[in-house]
Amino acid sequence: MKHILERLEKRRADARGGGGVARVAAQHKRGKLTARERVDLLMDKGSFEEFDMFVEHRSNEFGMEKTKIPGDGVITGWGTVNGRAIFVFAKDFTVFGGSLSETHAQKITKIQDMAMKARAPIIGLFDAGGARIQEGVAALGGYGDVFKRNVIASGVIPQISVIMGPCAGGDVYSPAMTDFIFMVKDTSYMFVTGPDVVKTVTNEVVSAEELGGASVHATRSSIADGAYDNDVECLLQMRRLVDFLPANYAAGVPEWPSFDDIGREDRSLDTLIPDNPNKPYDIKELILKVADEGDFFEIGATFARNIVTGFGRIGGRTVGFVANQPMVLAGVLDSDASRKAARFVRFCDAFGIAIVTFVDVPGFLPGTAQEYGGLIKHGAKLLFAYSQCSVPLVTVITRKAFGGAYDVMASKHVGGDVNYAWPTAQIAVMGAKGAVEIIFRADTGEAEKIARRTKEYEDRFLSPFVAAERGYIDDVIMPHATRRRVARSLAMLRTKTVEMPARKHDNLPL
Ligand code: HXC
C-alpha cells in the first residue's frame, strides 16, 4: 500500500514541477510568477482544489508523443476568495508555452461548465503562445468550444480575464468575451497577430509593447479595464474586485459588514462646486465621500477619463458609480466615454448591481472627429443601456446637465428612479452664452443688451428649479446630505420590480 501512496505523491510532484526547473527559473527571471504561484496568491490560503493535474495531450505529430507533461499547460480548479467560491484556470507558460491543445481546451471547458453549474464566477489567468502548433485543427476546435461557453455564461456568472504574459492568436478572443480584462504592465501583451506578421503584411515595424502592451490596451484601445505594476499587485486587486461582485445574476450583491454610518454627512461637499461654473473640480472626491469607507474600485481608470466608472458600497452593499469628470474635457460625453459607461452600466444591470450616477456634463463633444467616429451610435449605446436597466437608478446632478446629455445620464425620462439635484445644478438645453447668441441674435454687438439677456437666461434656466417644478427632479438636496439621501433611496428601491414586453432580445446599437 505504502508504495502506491508514494507513487501518487511522485506523480503529483512531477505535475507540480510544470515545465521543469530551468523554465520556471526563466519565468521568474522575466519578473513573472508561475501559474501555480499565481493561483495560490489569488485564492484563500489552502483553499485551491486542483482538477485534472494528470491530463496529458494525445498528439503524435512532430514527435510530440515523446514529450508529455502532466497538466498540459493549464492549471484548473476552484477555491475561495474571502470565503466565496471561485473557479480558475491559469495557463502555465513553462509547459509548451501555455499553448492550447485539444486536452488543454477540455480542461478549461470542464471548469467553465462547473462554474456554470455552481453559478460562481470564473477567472482565467493568461500567459500563453496561442494554438498548440503541432495539433492544428484540434486546437482550433478547442478554442471554439471555450468561446461558445464564454458566450453562454455571459450575464449568468461574472467572467474575468487577467493577462500576465503573451496572449496572442486564439487566446485573445476568450478574454474579449468576458466581463473584464486586466493586464500586468511591461510583462503582458495582447494582439491578434504579432509584430512579425504585422511587418510581413503591412511593412509596419512595431514592438510587442507598442502593438499590444498594457499601455496601449488600458489607455487607447480600451480592451483592458486596468493595468497593474506586477503579478502580486494584480492578483491582490482581483481579490478586491471579486469582493464587490455577486456570484451570479440571481444571487444579489454580496453584503459586507460596514462600519461607516449610513447617515454620515460631509460638510466639505457644500463647497465642492467652485463659484466659477467653468472651473473644474474632482468628481472622485464626491464618489469617495459617498461610498462606504471611501473604498472605490475603478474600472477603466486610464481610458476616457472624462467619465468615471467603478464599484463601491453603500450600507455594505455593492453599487456601481458612473460620474462625469469635470477635470477632463470638462466632463463632456464623447464616443469613448459613452462606450465605456454603456458597458459598465450593462454589467451592473446584468448582475443586479444598483447604479448611482453623478451628473456634471456640458453636452456631447462637437466636431467632425466625433461625428465621423460614430458619436451618434456610441452615445446611443449609453442611452440604450440606461433605458434598459431594471436595477435601481439613483441620479444626482451636481452642476451642468445640458442638452441630450441631460437625458442620457440616467434622467427620470429614461428610467431614473430617484433623481436629485444640488442647488448648484444647471439643467437646461445649453449654457447661457450659446443660448443668448442664438435666441437674441438681433442684439449681437450690443454688449449691454447681451449682458442683460445672459443674466435673464442664467436666472431663469441655470438652476435646478425649472426641472424640479416639473417633477423631473424629485428634490433639491444639500450636498452634505448626499450619502444619506442616496442610501435611503437605495434602501427603498431594494424591491424594485419592472416589467419589459416579451421579445427574443433587444437590438443594442453596436
Ligand atoms: C507550441 C509553443 C507555442 C505554440 C510557444 N511554444 N508557443 N509550442 N505551440 N503556439 C513553446 C516554444 O516552442 C518553447 O518551447 C516555449 O513554448 C517557450 O517559447 P519561446 O518562443 O521560447 O518563448 P518566448 O521567446 O518568450 O516567446 C513567446 C511567444 C513565442 C512570443 C509566445 O513562443 C511565439 O511567438 N509563439 C507562437 C505564437 C503563435 O504564433 N501561436 C499561434 C497563434 S495562431 P521550449 O520547449 O523551447 O521551452 C492561433 C490561431 C487560433 O492561435 C485561432 C482560433 C480562433
Side-chain angles (χ1 to χ4, degrees), residues 364-380:
F364 280 100
L365 183 62
T368 48
Q370 287 295 311
E371 299 290 355
Y372 295 175
L375 177 65
I376 296 171
K377 275 257 166 91
H378 294 306

Side-chain angles (χ1 to χ4, degrees), residues 90-268:
K91 307 256 177 174
D92 184 349
F93 189 77
T94 70
V95 177
F96 309 118
S99 58
L100 182 136
S101 67
E102 186 181 16
T103 47
H104 174 124
Q106 283 163 356
K107 285 183 66 171
I108 296 175
T109 55
K110 185 196 263 190
I111 277 302
Q112 289 180 300
D113 292 343
M114 282 188 176
M116 277 293 275
K117 263 193 237 167
R119 292 287 194 263
I122 183 165
I123 301 181
L125 309 181
F126 290 80
D127 185 359
R132 179 90 44 91
I133 293 164
Q134 297 89 333
E135 292 221 0
V137 73
L140 301 188
Y143 272 123
D145 294 337
V146 174
F147 300 158
K148 178 78 178 168
R149 282 167 174 78
N150 284 132
V151 176
I152 290 171
S154 182
V156 182
I157 52 173
Q159 303 180 82
I160 301 171
S161 305
V162 191
I163 316 301
M164 312 187 83
C167 183
D171 273 314
V172 300
Y173 283 109
S174 171
M177 287 186 296
T178 61
D179 297 303
F180 299 109
I181 299 180
F182 295 93
M183 296 181 77
V184 179
K185 290 179 192 164
D186 303 325
T187 49
S188 75
Y189 47 86
M190 274 185 103
F191 34 66
V192 177
T193 45
D196 296 344
V197 179
V198 170
K199 168 95 179 55
T200 312
V201 177
T202 70
N203 218 13
E204 200 182 353
V205 178
V206 66
S207 70
E209 178 64 30
E210 286 164 343
L211 188 60
S215 55
V216 171
H217 289 316
T219 58
R220 293 179 65 177
S221 75
S222 81
I223 301 297
D225 298 287
Y228 300 101
D229 285 341
N230 53 56
D231 283 16
V232 176
E233 158 82 2
C234 183
L235 294 164
L236 294 181
Q237 289 299 329
M238 292 304 101
R239 287 179 59 87
R240 213 180 129 224
L241 172 60
V242 165
D243 282 351
F244 283 102
L245 305 182
N248 60 67
Y249 80 101
V253 295
E255 224 168 314
W256 296 98
S258 167
F259 304 99
D260 198 351
D261 180 8
I262 205 88
R264 172 172 54 76
E265 295 189 342
D266 197 317
R267 297 278 156 184
S268 68

Side-chain angles (χ1 to χ4, degrees), residues 478-499:
M478 285 294 189
H480 64 253
T482 305
R483 173 173 157 88
R484 178 169 56 82
R485 302 295 296 262
V486 169
R488 294 207 72 215
S489 303
L490 290 172
M492 177 272 285
L493 289 164
R494 267 183 78 164
T495 44
K496 175 180 173 181
T497 312
V498 286
E499 277 176 21

